Amino acid sequence: MKRKLSTISVTIAITMTYAGLPPVTPFDVKVSEEDGLNLKKITTISDQVADYRGSLVNNTSKILGRHKVTETKWWVPTQIALSPDEMLIAYIMEKNGRTKAVIKNLKESTASTRHIPSANVVSLSWSKDGKALCLTERHGKNFSLRIIDASSGVSIVQVTNGRGKDIGGTMSANGKTVFFHRTDKTSGYSLWSYETDTHRISKIASGMTICLIPDAPDEAYCARINNRNESEIWHINLKTGAEKLVLAKQGISFTTPQLSPNKMWLLTTANSLYGKSDIANTDIYAVRTDGTHLTRLTYHPGNDLSAIWSHDGRYIYFLSQRGSVQRKYNIWKMNFNL
């Protein structure tokens, strides 16, 4: 039976139309609007990058009046993570319906990979010192967080117990706090923290997919669902509770904010349409941290999502179906030129 990850997917309805663009096939690596990105493929089909049996992004369409309404759902926690020295990239492999964490060497001279002892991984992040990975693991319908040694794969601490839906762990710069989001049918998505010294878990605010701000430990960005069932990007103060809307646009959902090293830009995944046939997909956008200069970076009809920055801010790593007739996902790298 096909497993769906609809638990924390984002759903949006689209009724706008884009026209006049040339047809693009899954074989194509880029479209004309992407000139200058200098796209480079990091993984191959043998790396078996996870798409959760086709549920990483789901589209369903129906006709309402004169409009085609497309509902797009995608898995919002980050799927890839860079080591602090940018020599290694961690991603999620899927084989025989099961997923695990894998570390791939990014050196030009080698394509070696290392499998991490794990089961049913659905999200991961790297600690700032490069010593640990935080994994989100599935247990039936529930999810838990675990910190492991990045070299050996040995467990360091079990953050949550697997009896709830705790997803997307992000470690603070000093490694003493893990931030994550929790979902339930009553309150939706909420941000939580776990203190590694005291094992205390505290609720912070509403939201999901937290993005911490270096040198500002009390501040962060996150995504929130509005009353139209669309996702917005917010800036929040974790200590005072002050909050500010950064990015919202009717008909589009923005998720998974990622702050650039110079703190000037946010990357985000959003829903898009392509071509005369209104191909619904996900693409990567950039926006200034003050909410201005929203710029669409990818235009391919395949899904692009889960973007992260290189540590110098000159490149972006992301998942994409481009270049694959079977629409398999791979990790790609592109320039950031804004």
Side-chain angles (χ1 to χ4, degrees):
M1 178 172 144
K2 185 177 180 180
R3 294 182 301 172
K4 293 185 178 180
L5 295 178
S6 57
T7 308
I8 62 167
S9 296
V10 176
T11 305
I12 53 272
I14 313 165
T15 56
M16 67 279 261
T17 300
Y18 297 169
L21 297 175
V24 177
T25 73
F27 287 112
D28 294 308
V29 168
K30 68 176 184 177
V31 296
S32 59
E33 295 87 349
E34 297 176 336
D35 286 345
L37 292 185
N38 192 26
L39 290 153
K40 179 182 178 182
K41 193 176 181 183
I42 302 300
T43 57
T44 67
I45 193 170
S46 63
D47 289 310
Q48 299 176 292
V49 176
D51 72 348
Y52 308 107
R53 296 186 178 183
S55 294
L56 187 60
V57 180
N58 276 327
N59 292 312
T60 56
S61 297
K62 58 184 177 182
I63 302 298
L64 290 179
R66 296 182 178 181
H67 299 288
K68 181 177 78 171
V69 179
T70 300
E71 183 181 72
T72 302
K73 299 180 179 181
W74 66 92
W75 189 234
V76 297
T78 52
Q79 303 290 293
I80 52 180
L82 277 176
S83 62
D85 59 8
E86 211 166 318
M87 300 294 287
L88 306 170
I89 191 164
Y91 72 96
I92 301 169
M93 168 189 277
E94 182 175 17
K95 185 176 182 181
N96 299 325
R98 298 183 68 84
T99 56
K100 64 168 60 177
V102 175
I103 295 177
K104 185 178 183 69
N105 197 313
L106 289 175
K107 291 180 180 179
E108 296 291 341
S109 59
T110 180
S112 63
T113 59
R114 177 161 51 88
H115 293 209
I116 299 295
S118 56
N120 295 323
V121 176
V122 296
S123 179
L124 43 72
S125 64
W126 219 301
S127 65
K128 302 303 179 185
D129 62 7
K131 296 180 180 179
L133 287 170
C134 186
L135 307 180
T136 301
E137 298 176 314
R138 174 193 287 274
H139 309 276
K141 295 182 178 180
N142 294 326
F143 303 86
S144 68
L145 303 176
R146 182 165 63 101
I147 299 175
I148 65 167
D149 183 282
S151 298
S152 65
V154 173
S155 290
I156 297 174
V157 63
Q158 187 75 35
V159 177
T160 58
N161 56 26
R163 293 194 290 269
K165 293 179 171 62
D166 300 326
I167 300 161
T170 299
M171 288 173 273
S172 62
N174 62 12
K176 293 184 177 181
T177 308
V178 179
F179 297 92
F180 60 95
H181 68 255
R182 177 173 289 178
T183 179
D184 60 58
K185 294 181 179 178
T186 303
S187 60
Y189 305 100
S190 54
L191 299 174
W192 292 71
S193 65
Y194 168 86
E195 304 298 331
T196 57
D197 292 340
T198 63
H199 308 295
R200 180 183 177 185
I201 295 181
S202 304
K203 185 177 181 179
I204 301 170
S206 64
M208 60 182 179
T209 57
I210 193 168
C211 171
L212 302 177
I213 301 176
D215 305 320
D218 295 329
E219 299 180 38
Y221 295 94
C222 70
R224 288 179 175 173
I225 306 295
N226 63 23
N227 56 13
R228 297 190 302 270
N229 202 32
E230 296 164 351
S231 182
E232 306 166 336
I233 305 300
W234 285 74
H235 175 275
I236 58 175
N237 189 299
L238 306 176
K239 190 173 183 179
T240 67
E243 52 190 35
K244 180 181 179 181
L245 177 62
V246 175
L247 178 61
K249 190 173 183 179
Q250 189 167 354
I252 299 181
S253 279
F254 300 97
T255 70
T256 328
Q258 295 286 305
L259 182 63
S260 63
N262 64 8
K263 305 178 190 176
M264 294 175 61
W265 293 91
L266 290 167
L267 292 176
T268 178
T269 298
N271 57 289
S272 299
L273 294 178
Y274 183 90
K276 294 180 179 180
S277 58
D278 290 349
I279 300 172
N281 66 337
T282 55
D283 278 297
I284 296 164
Y285 288 69
V287 65
R288 289 276 194 174
T289 53
D290 63 0
T292 63
H293 295 85
L294 177 64
T295 304
R296 182 173 170 181
L297 301 179
T298 64
Y299 289 82
H300 197 279
N303 294 307
D304 299 317
L305 70 163
S306 199
I308 60 173
W309 296 95
S310 65
H311 297 312
D312 60 8
R314 296 172 57 194
Y315 306 99
I316 295 168
Y317 294 86
F318 64 105
L319 292 187
S320 180
Q321 291 178 310
R322 65 184 63 228
S324 169
V325 67
Q326 301 92 357
R327 295 190 176 273
K328 297 294 185 181
Y329 287 92
N330 279 290
I331 300 172
W332 288 76
K333 180 181 180 181
M334 66 179 172
N335 291 350
F336 180 71
N337 299 316
L338 299 182

